[in-house]
Amino acid sequence: MGEKVGIYVCHCGSNIAGIVDVEEVAKWAGLNIKDVAVSRDYKFMCSSLGQQMIKEDITDKGLTRVVVAACSPHLHEKTFRRVCEDAGLNPYLFQMANIREFVSWVTKDKAAATQKAKAMVAAAAERVKWQKPLTPMPVKVNPATLVVGGGIAGLQATLELADAGYHVYLVEREPSIGGHMAQLDKTFPTLDCSACILTPKMSEVGQHDNVTLLTYSEVEEVSGSVGNFKVRVRKKARYVNEEACNGCGVCSQKCPSKVVDHAFEAGLGHRKAIYSPFPQAVPRMPVIDTDSCIWFQRGKCRVCEKVCPTDAIDFEQQDEIVELEVGNIIMTTGWKLFDCKKTSQYGYGRLPNVYTNLEFERLCNSAGPTGGKIVLRDGKTEPESVAIIHCVGSRDVNHNESCSNVCCMAALKFGHLVLEKTNAEVYSFYIDIRTNSKGYEEFYQRLLGEGMHFIRGKVAEVTDAGRMPFEEGKSIVQVEDTLLGMQRRIPVDMVILMGAMEPQADSKETGLKCGISCNQAGWYTERHPKLDPVATSTDGVFVAGVCQGPKDIPASVAQGAAAAARVAGMIAKGTVMIEPITASVDEERCSGCRMCNGLCSYNAVSFDPEKHVSVVNTAMCKGCGTCVASCPSGAMTALHFTDEQIYAEIEGALWDAKFKPKFKLKRRKKKAAVEAKPSPEMAPELAVR
């Protein structure tokens, strides 16, 4: 093909060179791979000196293709593409071979690692010869942004963008913004009032000129791509006229229907059929729960309508579909509490005085159902002893294998509140105490000084089957104390279960609407866990807060601000460049079977009824190749991943094959067969081996 290929093999310090004979790989590539004009090794190719080396070779030696064998493309593919572009070479005429994660980090066999590195370099070199110049596509960015979820991360992201002068649509499925933080009493480690630091942000969001607040609403559909998303939001009927309601609360006071509040009060308090979740709710507007409303269930009552001074009650109100156009989306959908009934050995739901951590938050909250008094289920008895059990549903192969990150500190906070408000003995049953952020270790030491008892060991069970007279009427915690090396039975009046943080039940479905994926546990997957923790694989969609993984309030706030900063940067640019690696359709070969239409995860493939062929929206396509692989007629092609490029890469990887394969690789377009065998130029070592 007459190309001039430059090959550069990185030592990566000792990360690669400690296992792979880097000098040998570079020397071998220069002698044995066809069309290689220069082959070098360098200690750190990503350094400024390494980049300068590539630039000079492109200019001085007239390189037409570049291969860098180093670490993951996730880390430095953009770096080396930019180097090529700065030197006047199209960045898509560059190929990267990952010989760190795929070679040096997975074996200790130096000989085998060196051979595999040669194969990967050869594969990249053969592939890059078939690559073609591509041009990123410019897309204008709509300055409006959608934030999904009104917890603390969503509030922070919203305020950052709104204060910068950009319009934000904040969608929250509950009647009020605030999220789980609105349910908390104190926040660790400073023990400041949760409501005192949250409600100013809630109020600011509710009154901000650049914020459109859509509470009691859910995202139904997302289409389009970065810079130009179209979103359908279902605004559920409150049965209250928003413009007429003044939030006086008379309707809730007079409503005769009273039900247990399982949402905000975690089942410990009651609310009316028409209600606001809590006094500081934003917006300060009630909603009618049709499942408990006497009118909707029996066709009688309508007391709220009669007493409303502004005639705001509207029993005929219907759900409304709101169409939004935004440039970016920030997902801050939060978390749900692990169902502690699944750990039946701890007695939750069976023993009366076993509480979840969220129930205890409401119990000790001054605005909670008991006015902040810590009492048993009877509503009046103060406990004399309290057990706090860590890691309920987390760090557990049967439920959630990961740590929930905040439970240790929340347990310490609970211990402090019990000691502060009662005369009870407090026992903390832990596996490990994890206090790994600013001020956390000091808080732990403070609790040790306050007299909280720490018992290291995973609790086996909580039972009410007393063996001794002093155990009667108590909840007995059975545990192996691993520090003392003995089994212990500790009778207590109250047990608090530190339930795990879990993804929202519909996180996968919600993610699919926006074209983002979840890991096996259900947390949203970021583009890179270290270098890009708020971006996702779908351009223009970002994640922040606990929906990305368990974290505390400061980390959620930081991520919300980080996501907003990324969005603000894109808006400020005005246009963004998106990858040209997309699918295309050969209309002459397309049979119109539509198989690819339903398989596209990004809704980028549609059907043209006039031409009777499938078409690809390149702005939405992410080049995943699903449609290409599924096309029975071979009409779909993926740019940068053509048949010629893939087959050439395979041939390069098989440079050291000892025997001629019996199979043949067919290139669909050319209708020709190419034997998967090493070329003469690549096989001088076969005789030796």
Side-chain angles (χ1 to χ4, degrees):
M1 296 178 65
E3 304 293 349
K4 288 186 177 182
V5 182
I7 294 179
Y8 302 88
V9 188
C10 182
H11 291 243
C12 198
S14 61
N15 273 300
I16 296 173
I19 298 295
V20 176
D21 188 342
V22 174
E23 293 88 347
E24 167 62 19
V25 173
K27 181 180 178 182
W28 172 88
L31 294 174
N32 295 283
I33 301 178
K34 187 179 178 181
D35 298 323
V36 173
V38 59
S39 182
R40 305 182 191 275
D41 64 275
Y42 191 68
K43 193 156 190 175
F44 292 106
M45 286 305 310
C46 61
S47 67
S48 57
L49 292 176
Q51 295 180 43
Q52 186 62 32
M53 178 193 301
I54 298 174
K55 288 181 184 179
E56 290 175 356
D57 285 349
I58 293 173
T59 304
D60 299 342
K61 300 183 182 298
L63 299 183
T64 60
R65 301 288 190 275
V66 172
V67 172
V68 174
C71 55
S72 168
H74 280 294
L75 290 173
H76 285 304
E77 185 175 53
K78 286 185 178 180
T79 301
F80 294 116
R81 279 184 177 178
R82 186 170 58 250
V83 168
C84 293
E85 189 171 23
D86 290 345
L89 184 66
N90 187 282
Y92 293 91
L93 301 180
F94 159 81
Q95 182 66 17
M96 196 165 184
N98 184 355
I99 62 171
R100 188 178 71 176
E101 282 85 342
F102 289 171
V103 182
S104 66
W105 280 5
V106 295
T107 183
K108 294 182 180 180
D109 188 329
K110 295 186 177 182
T114 301
Q115 289 299 102
K116 185 177 179 183
K118 291 178 181 179
M120 294 192 69
V121 169
E126 293 303 315
R127 183 194 203 282
V128 79
K129 298 173 191 176
W130 290 89
Q131 290 176 195
K132 297 180 179 180
L134 299 176
T135 304
M137 296 177 287
V139 174
K140 289 186 177 180
V141 179
N142 187 321
T145 302
L146 172 69
V147 176
V148 184
I152 185 59
L155 294 177
Q156 185 67 34
T158 298
L159 286 174
E160 294 281 352
L161 288 167
D163 288 343
Y166 306 124
H167 197 84
V168 181
Y169 297 97
L170 176 57
V171 175
E172 167 58 46
R173 66 169 52 169
E174 297 298 328
S176 169
I177 56 177
H180 284 296
M181 189 175 171
Q183 296 175 278
L184 308 183
D185 179 33
K186 307 286 186 183
T187 59
F188 55 78
T190 52
L191 295 177
D192 43 0
C193 170
S194 179
C196 294
I197 58 179
L198 176 67
T199 50
K201 286 187 178 291
M202 293 170 56
S203 178
E204 190 176 353
V205 166
Q207 299 174 19
H208 207 295
D209 292 337
N210 289 330
V211 176
T212 299
L213 193 56
L214 298 170
T215 55
Y216 208 48
S217 305
E218 294 192 53
V219 173
E220 283 208 337
E221 182 183 345
V222 177
S223 60
S225 59
V226 58
N228 186 28
F229 289 105
K230 294 181 180 177
V231 184
R232 284 168 51 91
V233 176
R234 178 173 293 275
K235 192 175 182 183
K236 294 179 286 187
R238 287 177 176 264
Y239 304 102
V240 175
N241 187 316
E242 296 182 20
E243 295 180 359
C245 179
N246 62 7
C248 66
V250 174
C251 54
S252 296
Q253 295 172 13
K254 301 298 183 181
C255 177
S257 178
K258 191 176 182 180
V259 296
V260 176
D261 186 354
H262 290 286
F264 189 79
E265 295 293 357
L268 297 183
H270 294 79
R271 61 164 173 78
K272 299 297 183 70
I274 182 169
Y275 69 100
S276 289
F278 52 98
Q280 304 95 334
V282 175
R284 185 78 171 94
M285 186 185 308
V287 60
I288 294 179
D289 175 13
T290 57
D291 291 335
S292 56
C293 176
I294 297 173
W295 168 255
F296 281 100
Q297 295 301 315
R298 293 184 243 164
K300 299 178 180 179
C301 190
R302 298 177 80 114
V303 168
C304 55
E305 184 181 48
K306 297 171 185 175
V307 301
C308 180
T310 59
D311 296 324
I313 306 301
D314 181 6
F315 286 104
E316 305 302 320
Q317 195 176 75
Q318 300 292 321
D319 290 359
E320 179 185 352
I321 299 298
V322 180
E323 302 274 355
L324 306 176
E325 292 186 1
V326 297
N328 293 275
I329 300 172
I330 301 177
M331 303 292 288
T332 61
T333 52
W335 58 280
K336 71 178 181 68
L337 183 67
F338 170 74
D339 182 2
C340 292
K341 289 182 180 178
K342 294 179 180 179
T343 52
S344 57
Q345 67 271 28
Y346 296 148
Y348 179 70
R350 175 170 51 87
L351 303 180
N353 292 309
V354 178
Y355 294 79
T356 67
N357 43 349
L358 207 51
E359 287 176 340
F360 188 78
E361 287 283 3
R362 298 309 303 155
L363 191 68
C364 65
N365 194 307
S366 59
T370 64
K373 295 180 180 179
I374 299 176
V375 293
L376 302 181
R377 295 279 185 187
D378 61 12
K380 57 184 179 180
T381 306
E382 188 176 284
E384 296 179 358
S385 52
V386 176
I388 304 174
I389 301 176
H390 294 227
C391 301
V392 177
S394 59
R395 301 184 67 190
D396 186 335
V397 294
N398 298 312
H399 302 291
N400 299 285
E401 294 187 6
S402 62
C403 172
S404 286
N405 200 287
V406 302
C407 301
C408 286
M409 287 301 298
L412 294 174
K413 179 187 73 172
F414 290 165
H416 170 81
L417 294 174
V418 173
L419 291 169
E420 182 182 60
K421 296 185 176 186
T422 73
N423 295 316
E425 292 286 326
V426 182
Y427 301 88
S428 182
F429 299 89
Y430 70 97
I431 302 174
D432 300 292
I433 294 291
R434 296 183 170 181
T435 53
N436 55 357
S437 291
K438 184 180 180 181
Y440 288 10
E441 180 64 22
E442 292 83 352
F443 192 71
Y444 173 43
Q445 296 299 327
R446 174 180 176 179
L447 265 296
L448 288 172
E450 290 180 359
M452 187 170 173
H453 305 294
F454 290 89
I455 299 171
R456 187 177 185 275
K458 190 172 179 64
V459 172
E461 68 170 341
V462 178
T463 178
D464 59 351
R467 297 178 184 173
M468 306 295 287
F470 63 84
E471 293 181 346
E472 293 299 325
K474 302 277 188 177
S475 296
I476 299 96
V477 180
Q478 180 78 38
V479 63
E480 179 187 3
D481 190 326
T482 59
L483 297 180
L484 296 179
M486 61 181 291
Q487 291 285 333
R488 298 181 66 181
R489 287 172 59 86
I490 300 177
V492 295
D493 297 317
M494 176 186 286
V495 176
I496 305 170
L497 304 180
M498 304 306 298
M501 281 182 167
E502 288 189 332
Q504 295 283 10
D506 61 347
S507 62
K508 293 183 180 179
E509 290 77 7
T510 304
L512 285 174
K513 292 175 184 177
C514 300
I516 62 176
S517 60
C518 300
N519 65 9
Q520 191 170 2
W523 304 112
Y524 290 138
T525 304
E526 62 285 323
R527 180 171 291 173
H528 192 282
K530 299 180 183 68
L531 302 179
D532 216 349
V534 297
T536 67
S537 57
T538 297
D539 293 334
V541 180
F542 300 86
V543 292
V546 183
C547 67
Q548 184 253 348
K551 56 181 64 70
D552 57 15
I553 292 170
S556 296
V557 170
Q559 273 203 331
R566 293 289 297 276
V567 170
M570 296 172 70
I571 296 173
K573 283 183 179 179
T575 59
V576 293
M577 307 300 290
I578 61 175
E579 282 282 323
I581 303 173
T582 59
S584 61
V585 181
D586 183 346
E587 295 184 359
E588 293 183 0
R589 301 185 66 178
C590 180
S591 63
C593 68
R594 309 188 196 186
M595 186 177 293
C596 54
N597 294 193
L599 291 174
C600 181
S601 301
Y602 305 97
N603 300 316
V605 185
S606 58
F607 185 73
D608 186 337
E610 293 184 3
K611 296 182 178 180
H612 201 70
V613 296
S614 291
V615 292
V616 178
N617 182 337
T618 55
M620 296 172 65
C621 178
K622 303 303 173 187
C624 68
T626 302
C627 57
V628 179
S630 65
C631 182
S633 58
M636 302 290 286
T637 302
L639 296 177
H640 210 61
F641 289 92
T642 63
D643 290 350
E644 288 80 7
Q645 292 165 4
I646 299 300
Y647 292 139
E649 191 169 12
I650 293 172
E651 290 176 29
L654 296 175
W655 73 272
D656 61 344
K658 294 183 179 180
F659 303 101
K660 180 179 177 181
K662 295 181 180 179
F663 64 88
K664 293 185 177 181
L665 302 175
K666 294 182 179 179
R667 292 177 176 166
R668 290 184 304 199
K669 282 193 172 182
K670 293 191 174 183
K671 300 291 184 179
V674 179
E675 293 182 349
K677 65 180 181 180
S679 63
E681 296 84 3
M682 301 171 65
E685 295 191 9
L686 292 182
V688 178
R689 298 183 61 191

